[in-house]
Amino acid sequence: MSESLNADWWREAVIYQIYPRAFADADGNTIGDLKGITSRIPYLKALGIDAVWLSPFYPSELADGGYDVADFRDVDPKLGTLEDFDEMAAGLHAAGIKVVVDIVPNHSSNKHKWFQEALAAPKGSPERERYIFRDGVGPNHDQPPTDWRASFGGNTWEPVGDGQFYFHTFAPEQPDWNWDNPEVRADYLKTLKFWADRGVDGFRVDVANSMAKDLSEPLPTAAELEKIEIGPNHPLYDRDELDVIYHEWRALFNSYDPPRFAVGEVWIENKERLARYATKEMLGQVFNFDLLRADFRASEFKQIVSEHLAVAKKSGSSTTWVLSNHDVPRHATRYGLPLTTPGEPFDGPAPTWDLGRKWLLSRGTDPVEDVELGLRRALAGTAFILALPGSTYLYNGEELGLREVADIPDDQRQDPTFFRSPGYDVGRDGCRVPLPWTPDGPSFGFGPAGANLPQPAWFADYAVSVEEGAMGSPLEWYRQALALRKQLLGAERGELEWIDSPADTLHFRRGDWQCFTNFGMSPVPIPSGEVLLASGHLTGEVPGATTVWLRG
Ligand code: GLC
């Protein structure tokens, strides 16, 4: 198929997220790098994915795991060079794998050249206009303009020592850009072009709903801000001015053949508003994080699937399914924690998500993780999403059945959430621990030296070389499932049709491909059809926490 005919490759793709620092370290500086990724292309090819998405690999002081970018058009020397990038991209393309890179448009690092210039320049200067500077309040101008709280804790305003403060949605090392400034807009177009010209196939857009802001005076208090609905009238999130920005981006993407793909990271609840990011005039696709926050329960899964298929229909895009990423506890762990009792009111809309976070606060001791059940549910959940219409995003290591690492010593933690909570919320390091490739050796084969976060002894059991070729291992199962999915998608697939099924189960078909998941604990009869794949051992019935694919 020619490239142009394949412009829609992303609609039903399996996209594998690589967290570069945790994937493979070739140069032995304990930080995963681009050459490490290149060396593992055979592994990625054997896995059967369609694309990789690389979390940021740009120059960074790592105040937020690389999401604090000091130069958007270069590679962090700790991770390699632009030549290493080209070599990696060429190798991936030769293996039939597309390359998606992360674009971080809301903020830069405080080490970015333009921010350094802003600090050195006086109040009211064009250099400061590229970011969001405001005078401090109070008689000495030493109080922040508002009492708003930043995402990782603390105030959103940081003083610079001359009576002014700058705004940061996230850590103080991540100053927000002023998107009203044409220079900022032009510079992002330059960045997108830079990577698109280098052959990247697409972009994952970080916090894609937050660049446009209205910070005109008087600013609301934190309490008032909280009451404003996210959307056109919110000063910070999901404003309509984003449309203009993304229309410009889309025009650039469409100037390539095939058009460059983009998917937005948008955490908003309003589905109508969410659909807007996925339209073909905007980014083209948007993440759907609802399953990632749901309990492993048939009713919740069904509602989310139905809602998001409707959203996709509205936008004309395809939806996305995600169970794990670099920001949340791994799903093999979340699913090993107790579910809320049906009907019982729970604290917040996201039970296993909240529970996963609470569990992390206890350093993984309370409640006790059911490792076996967690893995069973994780594979069943993955088989379920792989059968749905849309794209599936996998997070590196989930194919090994990897669990969250909860007991990282406090003095080795890196996530700003930990430092700014302070010391209370342990944050996201537990899903960013370097991957085990071998059961022994330095850093379990991650690299010739150590790992940048401590790997627990139990990683040995999850090593790639242990699982490779081992019947029934998560890795072999993922390979089988991905290969089969590709084959099954080869046939014309109509829309998803739900089939009535017993309580605590879900059953749907797409053409003659059926997917049946038993979310409960008791076995249920296997539906009729030819069994193609099962996420666990079938016993003449479908045991609890198991998915089966059937033909017929
Ligand atoms: C996104 C990223 C997260 C990062 C934040 C700030 O939510 O996924 O890892 O900390 O943006 O860039």
Side-chain angles (χ1 to χ4, degrees):
M1 195 184 286
S2 90
E3 275 292 310
S4 338
L5 285 178
N6 197 15
D8 276 357
W9 64 268
W10 49 270
R11 281 187 175 268
E12 292 230 56
V14 175
I15 301 176
Y16 180 85
Q17 180 188 358
I18 294 184
Y19 196 71
R21 289 167 186 79
F23 192 66
D25 175 25
D27 66 6
N29 69 352
T30 77
I31 298 176
D33 45 37
L34 301 186
K35 275 194 185 306
I37 298 173
T38 305
S39 73
R40 300 297 180 182
I41 291 174
Y43 173 78
L44 296 168
K45 188 174 162 74
L47 187 54
I49 53 172
D50 300 298
V52 289
W53 145 35
L54 269 59
S55 278
F57 49 80
Y58 315 113
S60 171
E61 297 269 298
L62 304 184
D64 180 20
Y67 283 90
D68 47 319
V69 181
D71 181 350
F72 292 91
R73 298 186 285 272
D74 204 350
V75 171
D76 191 329
K78 300 186 280 300
L79 275 75
T81 62
L82 280 170
E83 289 66 44
D84 293 342
F85 180 86
D86 292 341
E87 191 193 346
M88 176 197 73
L92 286 164
H93 284 150
I97 299 169
K98 310 265 192 222
V99 181
V100 175
V101 299
D102 217 307
I103 287 294
V104 187
N106 180 67
H107 45 267
S108 72
S109 152
N110 58 345
K111 302 293 180 210
H112 191 284
K113 187 167 155 270
W114 280 2
F115 191 71
Q116 290 296 316
E117 285 176 14
L119 289 181
K123 176 180 162 177
S125 59
E127 287 82 357
R128 287 207 175 175
E129 273 306 300
R130 295 176 183 138
Y131 291 91
I132 303 170
F133 279 85
R134 287 287 183 282
D135 288 338
V137 297
N140 302 323
H141 296 293
D142 59 357
Q143 297 303 309
T146 65
D147 59 346
W148 300 351
R149 213 178 140 70
S151 250
F152 300 138
N155 190 281
T156 50
W157 297 96
E158 190 71 7
V160 295
D162 61 3
Q164 285 220 301
F165 286 68
Y166 67 86
F167 181 81
H168 56 90
T169 301
F170 296 93
E173 294 86 352
Q174 295 167 293
D176 281 34
W177 291 111
N178 171 16
W179 272 85
D180 289 334
N181 186 322
E183 270 190 286
V184 171
R185 291 176 183 234
D187 198 62
Y188 269 91
L189 288 171
K190 192 169 163 189
T191 296
L192 295 169
K193 190 167 178 333
F194 177 87
W195 293 107
D197 287 346
R198 270 201 129 79
V200 314
D201 303 281
F203 300 92
R204 177 263 187 189
V205 183
D206 191 62
V207 276
N209 58 320
S210 68
M211 302 111 86
K213 298 185 175 82
D214 177 8
L215 295 182
S216 45
E217 313 274 342
L219 293 169
T221 62
E224 287 162 353
L225 185 68
E226 188 111 312
K227 294 201 190 94
I228 306 176
E229 196 185 338
I230 305 278
N233 298 320
H234 195 280
L236 304 176
Y237 304 124
D238 192 32
R239 296 185 59 80
D240 287 342
E241 294 88 335
L242 287 166
D243 295 20
V244 182
I245 299 171
Y246 290 136
H247 290 167
E248 260 182 6
W249 287 25
R250 181 38 66 194
L252 175 79
F253 297 152
N254 288 354
S255 70
Y256 290 86
D257 181 20
R260 298 312 190 231
F261 148 80
V263 57
E265 185 210 20
V266 179
W267 290 87
I268 58 171
E269 301 305 323
N270 184 325
K271 303 281 182 288
E272 302 272 319
R273 299 283 298 173
L274 190 68
R276 152 177 160 266
Y277 293 86
T279 55
K280 67 179 188 340
E281 295 77 26
M282 298 272 281
L283 291 173
Q285 196 179 51
V286 71
F287 276 114
N288 146 26
F289 292 125
D290 287 349
L291 278 185
L292 184 149
R293 295 183 290 186
D295 250 345
F296 188 75
R297 208 188 290 295
S299 52
E300 283 182 55
F301 269 54
K302 184 169 185 181
Q303 188 188 339
I304 290 167
V305 168
S306 305
E307 272 175 13
H308 283 279
L309 290 179
V311 172
K313 205 165 229 177
K314 198 169 161 60
S315 67
S317 182
S318 63
T319 190
T320 55
W321 307 109
V322 192
L323 296 176
S324 279
N325 66 27
H326 66 295
D327 288 331
V328 301
R330 286 185 177 276
H331 67 285
T333 290
R334 296 199 314 270
Y335 290 165
L337 304 175
L339 305 182
T340 51
T341 312
E344 187 184 84
F346 48 73
D347 178 16
T352 46
W353 158 277
D354 281 347
L355 193 56
R357 291 159 81 95
K358 285 186 189 146
W359 175 86
L360 273 172
L361 296 187
S362 75
R363 308 302 195 256
T365 54
D366 182 26
V368 175
E369 179 184 10
D370 184 335
V371 173
E372 201 253 358
L373 181 62
L375 180 61
R376 287 175 66 83
R377 286 179 173 155
L379 297 181
T382 300
F384 177 84
I385 62 173
L386 282 171
L388 292 170
S391 311
T392 299
Y393 285 77
L394 306 176
Y395 179 57
N396 58 196
E398 71 165 82
E399 73 281 16
L400 305 173
L402 222 52
R403 296 183 271 130
E404 186 77 3
V405 182
D407 54 356
I408 297 172
D410 286 356
D411 63 359
Q412 296 185 50
R413 292 196 180 272
Q414 299 175 8
D415 189 349
T417 314
F418 176 68
F419 300 106
R420 293 181 63 78
S421 44
Y424 171 72
D425 185 343
V426 297
R428 303 159 296 177
D429 292 326
C431 62
R432 301 173 177 182
V433 177
L435 299 190
W437 293 88
T438 53
D440 39 35
S443 62
F444 295 103
F446 162 69
N452 58 79
L453 278 168
Q455 301 157 301
W458 54 261
F459 259 35
D461 303 336
Y462 292 78
V464 170
S465 69
V466 170
E467 295 198 14
E468 206 149 42
M471 263 239 307
S473 71
L475 177 60
E476 288 303 332
W477 181 83
Y478 265 74
R479 287 178 174 175
Q480 189 195 352
L482 263 49
L484 188 57
R485 176 184 190 273
K486 199 161 274 178
Q487 208 181 309
L488 291 165
L489 282 180
E492 198 55 44
R493 296 282 154 208
E495 297 196 355
L496 173 149
E497 280 173 69
W498 293 109
I499 301 172
D500 283 342
S501 65
D504 270 350
T505 70
L506 288 182
H507 191 181
F508 64 85
R509 67 161 60 250
R510 300 175 65 194
D512 64 351
W513 178 13
Q514 298 178 54
C515 177
F516 178 86
T517 302
N518 182 359
F519 286 82
M521 301 293 269
S522 331
V524 292
I526 305 177
S528 60
E530 174 201 353
V531 173
L532 301 173
L533 177 89
S535 67
H537 182 64
L538 300 184
T539 50
E541 290 179 297
V542 185
T546 303
T547 291
V548 205
W549 290 356
L550 307 116
R551 189 175 1 236

